[in-house]
Amino acid sequence: FKWHQDNQNGPITWDEGLRFWITMDETPKDYGAPVYLKGSHRNDVVDDQAVFVDIEQKGLEDYKDKLLEFRTMPGDMLIWHPRTIHKVDGPADGIWTSYRRVLGGTVAKGGSIYHDKRGSGGVLSDLGRHGLQDGQKLKSSFFPIVYPQFDKQEAAERDSGKVGRNPVDIVTKIGGLATKASGERFNSFFQVLGSRS
């Protein structure tokens, strides 16, 4: 992926989330290492709705040369602020000759609040039938507690099938993306699909 920020983090704000990556394979010698712009999560010029970032744009001068590259090994874990600008370069010929499996995602910090993001790209990572309303505490088996301890009631609800997605719910939630304004705001995300370079 080209230079980007992770703005598809579910129904939370930038500062309520952390991104993580756990590697299962060694990073290939010549490509595949994640590269971050140190401190770039503090920038105030990249639009919140943007996925891809032009690091030559005005206002990013303080960050664009502060590269942090990580050649991860199996079991290594990276954690970063979702707004941190980063990239992963693929091989020059576009052909990956070795696996680089990872487990990655977003975690919400304790005390996070649910933010209804219908009408924006953020809704794509919040398609469940949890029933939370904008402004409520983010407490639901759809958003399981992982620290400081496992929640047995949440696990029971997931095991019983209460946690899931329904096609009607999905269509209702993403319906807002069909509007012209939200489509323009979210255009950057759709470019990701063909950008593995």
Side-chain angles (χ1 to χ4, degrees):
F1 288 111
K2 302 172 186 176
W3 290 112
H4 65 284
Q5 61 184 2
D6 296 324
N7 66 0
Q8 305 306 310
N9 297 304
I12 56 176
T13 65
W14 290 108
D15 291 325
E16 291 173 327
L18 292 172
R19 296 284 295 164
F20 71 91
W21 218 41
I22 302 169
T23 58
M24 292 178 262
D25 299 292
E26 184 175 349
T27 302
K29 180 182 174 188
D30 299 318
Y31 58 87
V35 181
Y36 298 81
L37 298 186
K38 184 178 180 180
S40 60
H41 63 289
R42 296 185 186 101
N43 88 80
D44 59 4
V45 297
V46 178
D47 185 271
D48 285 352
Q49 294 294 322
V51 174
F52 287 118
V53 177
D54 176 2
I55 66 168
E56 299 300 325
Q57 80 179 74
K58 186 175 171 122
L60 294 179
E61 298 87 358
D62 292 342
Y63 310 108
K64 69 177 188 172
D65 295 322
K66 296 179 180 176
L67 305 177
L68 296 174
E69 180 178 280
F70 295 92
R71 294 236 154 246
T72 52
M73 299 294 288
D76 286 350
M77 181 177 196
L78 298 175
I79 299 173
W80 66 95
H81 189 286
R83 195 172 167 100
T84 302
I85 299 167
H86 60 288
K87 70 174 181 171
V88 175
D89 289 325
D93 62 5
I95 300 171
W96 289 71
T97 57
S98 61
Y99 288 110
R100 197 207 46 181
R101 297 168 298 165
V102 299
L103 172 65
T106 303
V107 294
K109 298 175 187 176
S112 292
I113 302 299
Y114 176 78
H115 301 277
D116 189 337
K117 295 186 178 179
R118 276 181 277 203
S120 75
V123 74
L124 291 180
S125 49
D126 175 28
L127 297 175
R129 303 176 268 135
H130 48 69
L132 293 174
Q133 299 296 316
D134 194 62
Q136 289 183 320
K137 186 174 180 181
L138 189 69
K139 180 158 179 48
S140 165
S141 52
F142 281 79
F143 307 101
I145 295 171
V146 295
Y147 181 84
Q149 66 186 29
F150 181 71
D151 186 311
K152 291 180 182 177
Q153 181 180 343
E154 287 181 350
E157 288 178 10
R158 288 190 299 277
D159 291 346
S160 72
K162 290 182 180 177
V163 176
R165 295 177 177 166
N166 177 303
V168 174
D169 298 324
I170 293 170
V171 169
T172 300
K173 283 195 172 184
I174 65 173
L177 287 177
T179 68
K180 183 175 187 289
S182 60
E184 288 171 356
R185 285 197 313 266
F186 195 51
N187 183 46
S188 178
F189 176 77
F190 290 112
Q191 294 174 21
V192 171
L193 298 176
S195 70
R196 295 181 184 170
S197 60

